[in-house]
mmCIF file of all heavy atoms in Angstrom:
data_model
loop_
_atom_site.group_PDB
_atom_site.id
_atom_site.type_symbol
_atom_site.label_atom_id
_atom_site.label_comp_id
_atom_site.label_asym_id
_atom_site.label_seq_id
_atom_site.Cartn_x
_atom_site.Cartn_y
_atom_site.Cartn_z
ATOM 1 N N VAL A 97 21.062 31.636 95.572
ATOM 2 C CA VAL A 97 21.764 30.762 94.635
ATOM 3 C C VAL A 97 23.014 30.226 95.326
ATOM 4 O O VAL A 97 23.373 29.065 95.191
ATOM 5 C CB VAL A 97 22.147 31.526 93.341
ATOM 6 C CG1 VAL A 97 22.991 30.648 92.429
ATOM 7 C CG2 VAL A 97 20.899 32.013 92.629
ATOM 8 N N GLY A 98 23.698 31.094 96.079
ATOM 9 C CA GLY A 98 24.908 30.693 96.779
ATOM 10 C C GLY A 98 25.735 31.894 97.180
ATOM 11 O O GLY A 98 25.306 33.047 97.012
ATOM 12 N N GLU A 99 26.936 31.606 97.712
ATOM 13 C CA GLU A 99 27.819 32.665 98.189
ATOM 14 C C GLU A 99 29.226 32.498 97.640
ATOM 15 O O GLU A 99 29.681 31.379 97.417
ATOM 16 C CB GLU A 99 27.902 32.647 99.716
ATOM 17 C CG GLU A 99 26.621 33.088 100.389
ATOM 18 C CD GLU A 99 26.765 33.208 101.896
ATOM 19 O OE1 GLU A 99 27.597 32.499 102.497
ATOM 20 O OE2 GLU A 99 26.023 34.020 102.462
ATOM 21 N N VAL A 100 29.887 33.644 97.445
ATOM 22 C CA VAL A 100 31.283 33.679 97.005
ATOM 23 C C VAL A 100 32.045 34.521 98.021
ATOM 24 O O VAL A 100 31.673 35.664 98.280
ATOM 25 C CB VAL A 100 31.417 34.321 95.599
ATOM 26 C CG1 VAL A 100 32.879 34.465 95.217
ATOM 27 C CG2 VAL A 100 30.649 33.530 94.564
ATOM 28 N N LYS A 101 33.116 33.931 98.596
ATOM 29 C CA LYS A 101 33.954 34.678 99.543
ATOM 30 C C LYS A 101 35.314 34.887 98.891
ATOM 31 O O LYS A 101 35.905 33.935 98.374
ATOM 32 C CB LYS A 101 34.109 33.892 100.842
ATOM 33 C CG LYS A 101 32.795 33.735 101.578
ATOM 34 C CD LYS A 101 32.929 32.862 102.790
ATOM 35 C CE LYS A 101 31.561 32.701 103.432
ATOM 36 N NZ LYS A 101 31.496 31.574 104.343
ATOM 37 N N LYS A 102 35.775 36.145 98.914
ATOM 38 C CA LYS A 102 37.061 36.414 98.271
ATOM 39 C C LYS A 102 37.794 37.545 98.960
ATOM 40 O O LYS A 102 37.212 38.379 99.634
ATOM 41 C CB LYS A 102 36.863 36.728 96.788
ATOM 42 C CG LYS A 102 36.088 37.997 96.495
ATOM 43 C CD LYS A 102 35.966 38.202 94.998
ATOM 44 C CE LYS A 102 35.077 39.339 94.632
ATOM 45 N NZ LYS A 102 33.676 39.032 94.525
ATOM 46 N N GLU A 103 39.120 37.510 98.737
ATOM 47 C CA GLU A 103 39.951 38.650 99.101
ATOM 48 C C GLU A 103 40.407 39.253 97.789
ATOM 49 O O GLU A 103 40.951 38.565 96.928
ATOM 50 C CB GLU A 103 41.144 38.218 99.942
ATOM 51 C CG GLU A 103 41.964 39.421 100.368
ATOM 52 C CD GLU A 103 43.053 39.071 101.364
ATOM 53 O OE1 GLU A 103 42.735 38.772 102.528
ATOM 54 O OE2 GLU A 103 44.227 39.083 100.947
ATOM 55 N N ARG A 104 40.139 40.536 97.644
ATOM 56 C CA ARG A 104 40.407 41.237 96.386
ATOM 57 C C ARG A 104 41.461 42.297 96.626
ATOM 58 O O ARG A 104 41.416 43.014 97.621
ATOM 59 C CB ARG A 104 39.095 41.859 95.905
ATOM 60 C CG ARG A 104 39.206 42.881 94.808
ATOM 61 C CD ARG A 104 37.859 43.164 94.196
ATOM 62 N NE ARG A 104 37.526 42.087 93.264
ATOM 63 C CZ ARG A 104 36.406 42.014 92.564
ATOM 64 N NH1 ARG A 104 35.477 42.935 92.706
ATOM 65 N NH2 ARG A 104 36.199 41.018 91.731
ATOM 66 N N ARG A 105 42.414 42.368 95.705
ATOM 67 C CA ARG A 105 43.372 43.465 95.731
ATOM 68 C C ARG A 105 43.057 44.323 94.503
ATOM 69 O O ARG A 105 43.076 43.824 93.384
ATOM 70 C CB ARG A 105 44.797 42.928 95.689
ATOM 71 C CG ARG A 105 45.827 43.983 96.066
ATOM 72 C CD ARG A 105 47.212 43.395 96.135
ATOM 73 N NE ARG A 105 47.474 42.702 97.386
ATOM 74 C CZ ARG A 105 48.034 43.271 98.448
ATOM 75 N NH1 ARG A 105 48.368 44.535 98.426
ATOM 76 N NH2 ARG A 105 48.268 42.572 99.541
ATOM 77 N N LEU A 106 42.733 45.586 94.740
ATOM 78 C CA LEU A 106 42.300 46.498 93.679
ATOM 79 C C LEU A 106 43.421 47.457 93.307
ATOM 80 O O LEU A 106 44.020 48.092 94.176
ATOM 81 C CB LEU A 106 41.083 47.304 94.164
ATOM 82 C CG LEU A 106 40.694 48.529 93.348
ATOM 83 C CD1 LEU A 106 40.215 48.160 91.953
ATOM 84 C CD2 LEU A 106 39.631 49.349 94.078
ATOM 85 N N TYR A 107 43.690 47.526 91.998
ATOM 86 C CA TYR A 107 44.637 48.492 91.435
ATOM 87 C C TYR A 107 43.898 49.301 90.377
ATOM 88 O O TYR A 107 43.161 48.724 89.574
ATOM 89 C CB TYR A 107 45.819 47.780 90.752
ATOM 90 C CG TYR A 107 46.564 46.833 91.656
ATOM 91 C CD1 TYR A 107 46.202 45.497 91.747
ATOM 92 C CD2 TYR A 107 47.637 47.282 92.419
ATOM 93 C CE1 TYR A 107 46.890 44.626 92.584
ATOM 94 C CE2 TYR A 107 48.328 46.409 93.258
ATOM 95 C CZ TYR A 107 47.940 45.084 93.330
ATOM 96 O OH TYR A 107 48.618 44.222 94.152
ATOM 97 N N MET A 108 44.103 50.620 90.347
ATOM 98 C CA MET A 108 43.511 51.455 89.288
ATOM 99 C C MET A 108 44.579 51.737 88.237
ATOM 100 O O MET A 108 45.661 52.238 88.558
ATOM 101 C CB MET A 108 42.991 52.783 89.854
ATOM 102 C CG MET A 108 41.745 52.655 90.703
ATOM 103 S SD MET A 108 40.317 51.894 89.874
ATOM 104 C CE MET A 108 40.034 52.994 88.485
ATOM 105 N N VAL A 109 44.277 51.385 86.989
ATOM 106 C CA VAL A 109 45.163 51.681 85.864
ATOM 107 C C VAL A 109 44.320 52.468 84.862
ATOM 108 O O VAL A 109 43.480 51.901 84.171
ATOM 109 C CB VAL A 109 45.729 50.395 85.218
ATOM 110 C CG1 VAL A 109 46.650 50.742 84.057
ATOM 111 C CG2 VAL A 109 46.477 49.547 86.250
#
Side-chain angles (χ1 to χ4, degrees):
V97 175
E99 290 186 332
V100 175
K101 295 175 183 162
K102 65 180 173 273
E103 183 172 288
R104 166 166 281 179
R105 195 175 279 267
L106 166 66
Y107 304 91
M108 289 302 301
V109 180

